[in-house]
Each structure stands twice: as structure tokens, then as C-alpha cells.
Amino acid sequence: MLMRVLRAPRSLWRLGQNHVAAWRKRREPKGLILLYHRVAALESDPQLLAVTPENFDRHIALLKTLGTPMHLSDMIAAAAAGRLPRRAIAVTFDDGYADNLYYAKPILQRHAVPATVFIATDFIERQREYWWDVIERAILAPTPLPDPLILPFPEGPRQWPASGDFLPAPGWSVLSSDDPSPRHSLYRALMTAINPLSRDQRDKVLSALVTAAQIPEEARDSHRPLTRAEVVTLAEGNVVTIGAHSHHHPRLSGLSAAEQETEIDTGRQRLTAWLGQDIDTFAFPYGNLDAYSGETVSLIKRKGFVLSCSNYPGLVRGDTDRYQLPRLLVRNITPQALQNLIIESFDHLEPGLRA
Ligand SMILES: [Zn+2]
């Protein structure tokens, strides 16, 4: 009995110590990099890439109340120097959709929140839609398709039944548990079949798909890339910094070292030529940990980039590898949901990969 009485204060003391440690850990300076793709109100967004302008405006306003928004390069320099604010937040965009200029930039400007936009340059030069958007346009629409739909794959023609009607299903995405019409299942099947192909193979399949669905090759205004002139306009002022995202947006891990080097160099050279300034930041296309390799990371370092971004959840600290920066993908969620996500992330996410 006596022992128990004596033990109580000690366990209380220990409990207090744990609280102090947890409190200290929470107060530790950390950085969070957010990843967006598009700011647009789309009727159909099966890959969940777009945030509506209304939500984006409220997201950006919120960041200032939750932490310290800063330029990505400044965050990484501050982390290395041990001068990171308690909750540093950097906004990034991938790919180079035109809506980044018309919807995202004015909102960023109004709130004086900076962002880095990583641009794949072939997308800009060809003025065609990204392959995932072409599939959406051909399949998730009431346009008739030949039945069966026959497409030229490298191993030979493959075919899918395509007789079913398309039923519009606002809000449907690849994360939905059911498919409201056969077209939605067909969309999934084609995404899975086309995703692993090389660029040449994919172009062949897409070209046949465009012919079969009788859709124009020109990009829809709602899905088009920035033009070169628009890339320049996007970079004007202090709000948006442009970063490289390769030329053709390949999975770099699937290429030889020489091919990777060409992809990295070409994308960077094009941007440098258009903007008349050096480009020193990079984001790996797709960005998940199997979309690039150790060889890719070495190349990026050797070419003098100051940082490169991946796409896995994690926090930035002083010892985080600045060549494999973690990023938090942001969907079209309410400001309240984003607030919860950010606070949760700062409190519970693990630090990114160490250098
Ligand atoms: Zn991308």
C-alpha cells in the first residue's frame, strides 16, 4: 500500500515528462509541401486532379492562419540552416495546365502566398492533352464508340466491349467503389492497360482511340496546357517560380541513364530558353518512389539542381533529403478538411527520407 502511494507521484511525474516531450515534438520546426495540379471547376475529374477556384481561394487563405507559407527554395534553405519557422508551408503545382495562370495565380497573388509550378515542356510545345485526359474525353462521354473497341497494343490488337451507354455521374473518380455505367469500367480498364506503355506505344494507342471516338486532336480549352507565352506570364512577378518536370513526363525509372539525362536536360533547356533564366528545381514525373531511381537522383544532383520533389507523404526537417522531398497531395476538399489534414500532418507525419 505504502509503495503504491509512493509510486503514484513518480508515475505522474513520468506522465508529465511524456507530455512535455510530445509538446516539444509538436513545437519542433517542420515544413510541409503541398502538391496541387489544377484549379478548375470540371464536370468530370476521374483522377481527382482539380480543386475548384472557390476551394483553392479558401485553402490559400487558410495556410496563413495555420503556418508560414514560403517559397519552396526558401523553405529548403531555411531547413538546412536550422531557421525553419514552426510550421513552414510551401505550395507546388505539377504539369503546367493553363488554369494555373488563369485561376491559381490571381488567388496566390491576392493572398501573397508563393508557389512553384513544375512544367513538363513537351505538353506545352505540342498543345495536346495529357494522355489520362484524352482517355477521359474519349470514354467518359456520350460519344458513340465502335463495338468492340479495338486498339493496337505492342503485343497485338486488344479489344473491349463498348456497347454500353455512358451515364453521367458527377463526382465519380477512380477512388469510387462502384462504376455507374459500363463506360466507367472501360475507362478503368484502359487506364490500367495504357499506363505501363512507353511513350511511342502509348501515342499509337491514343491516336487509334481518338479516331475510334471521333474526337478532335486539339486540346479542350478546359484541359489545355499553358502556351509558351503563358509560361512567361505565369513566371512574372514574385509569386510563381517555375521548376522543371522533364520533357515528355515519363516514368524516369523505366528509362536508361542516357534517356533520363535527355529528358531532364531537354525540359530544363526549354524552360531556360523561354524564361531567360536558369531553372534549379525539379519534380519527378508521377513522383512516387518507384517512378524514379537512385540513378535519377544522382543525375539531378550532378546537374546542379538545388532540390527535387517526390510524391509521398512526409515532413521536411533539417536532415530531410532535399533531392527526394515529400509532398502532400491536396484534393478538392473543404477548407475544414484541409485544416484537419494539415494539423494532423504536422503532428503525426514522419519526416521525409534522410539525405
Ligand atoms: Zn506530373
Side-chain angles (χ1 to χ4, degrees):
M1 188 62 188
L2 185 64
M3 281 306 285
R4 255 186 223 156
V5 171
L6 284 177
R7 228 179 253 147
R10 189 185 290 169
S11 61
L12 271 180
W13 179 82
R14 207 172 279 146
L15 196 67
Q17 285 300 98
N18 287 345
H19 269 293
V20 170
W23 181 82
R24 274 216 188 102
K25 199 166 170 236
R26 272 211 300 277
R27 301 286 305 182
E28 243 180 347
K30 292 165 212 153
L32 185 64
I33 307 170
L34 306 182
L35 167 57
Y36 290 90
H37 290 85
R38 309 197 52 185
V39 175
L42 300 178
E43 274 172 32
S44 164
D45 184 18
Q47 300 295 321
L48 298 170
L49 294 179
V51 173
T52 62
E54 294 71 29
N55 271 341
F56 187 69
D57 192 19
R58 292 156 80 193
H59 284 190
I60 296 304
L62 179 72
L63 300 186
K64 297 208 292 204
T65 70
L66 293 179
T68 308
M70 52 201 303
H71 264 298
L72 175 61
S73 308
D74 293 342
M75 177 199 278
I76 301 314
R83 285 186 286 100
L84 210 53
R86 191 181 145 226
R87 282 175 175 172
I89 303 172
V91 175
T92 67
F93 277 83
D94 276 6
D95 297 340
Y97 283 96
D99 58 59
N100 291 188
L101 173 64
Y102 295 104
Y103 292 102
K105 189 180 177 184
I107 291 169
L108 293 162
Q109 229 159 0
R110 197 162 56 243
H111 295 286
V113 169
T116 303
V117 178
F118 295 101
I119 294 178
T121 44
D122 175 65
F123 183 45
I124 308 299
E125 289 189 329
R126 284 178 65 204
Q127 286 295 305
R128 293 282 186 266
E129 296 187 13
Y130 270 114
W131 65 268
W132 50 86
D133 289 331
V134 175
I135 299 176
E136 183 268 338
R137 185 184 196 180
I139 305 298
L140 294 183
T143 48
L145 287 170
D147 182 30
L149 175 65
I150 305 172
L151 297 172
F153 276 70
E155 69 276 14
R158 287 182 64 179
Q159 60 178 62
W160 286 267
S163 60
D165 283 340
F166 167 72
L167 288 178
W172 183 84
S173 79
V174 287
L175 300 184
S176 303
S177 53
D178 58 338
D179 294 343
S181 79
R183 284 289 184 99
H184 293 84
S185 308
L186 178 60
Y187 169 84
R188 277 188 206 272
L190 288 184
M191 284 297 295
T192 307
I194 293 174
N195 189 12
L197 299 183
S198 74
R199 182 165 51 88
D200 289 349
Q201 295 168 342
R202 186 187 303 133
D203 282 352
K204 254 179 225 144
V205 175
L206 286 187
S207 157
L209 179 62
V210 162
T211 308
Q214 295 180 291
I215 53 172
E217 287 209 334
E218 289 69 38
R220 289 167 286 182
D221 203 44
S222 56
H223 289 72
R224 72 174 179 86
L226 292 154
T227 64
R228 278 189 225 181
E230 286 169 340
V231 173
V232 174
T233 311
L234 182 63
E236 279 166 5
N238 300 320
V239 175
V240 173
T241 305
I242 305 294
H245 195 41
S246 83
H247 186 50
H248 291 113
H249 202 278
R251 252 180 208 84
L252 290 165
S253 54
L255 304 184
S256 71
E259 288 168 330
Q260 292 190 45
E261 197 165 358
T262 306
E263 277 294 339
I264 295 164
D265 287 346
T266 309
R268 185 190 215 176
Q269 283 158 5
R270 295 285 207 281
L271 291 172
T272 304
W274 300 342
L275 296 166
Q277 65 189 52
D278 188 30
I279 300 296
D280 60 5
T281 60
F282 189 85
F284 303 110
Y286 304 102
N288 32 314
L289 294 170
D290 59 4
Y292 61 95
S293 63
E295 204 168 37
T296 323
V297 176
S298 309
L299 272 170
I300 293 291
K301 279 186 200 171
R302 214 173 67 218
K303 291 182 175 293
F305 286 96
V306 298
L307 62 87
S308 45
C309 289
S310 308
N311 180 6
Y312 67 94
L315 292 168
V316 175
R317 294 202 316 204
D319 58 356
T320 302
D321 185 354
R322 61 159 69 193
Y323 290 100
Q324 296 189 78
L325 292 168
R327 289 191 290 175
L328 188 70
L329 185 61
V330 183
R331 309 279 195 199
N332 186 33
I333 54 178
T334 63
Q336 186 57 52
L338 181 67
Q339 175 165 342
N340 296 342
L341 180 65
I342 289 178
I343 292 173
E344 277 276 299
S345 299
F346 272 117
D347 285 351
H348 299 294
L349 269 187
E350 293 298 318
L353 296 166
R354 282 187 172 192

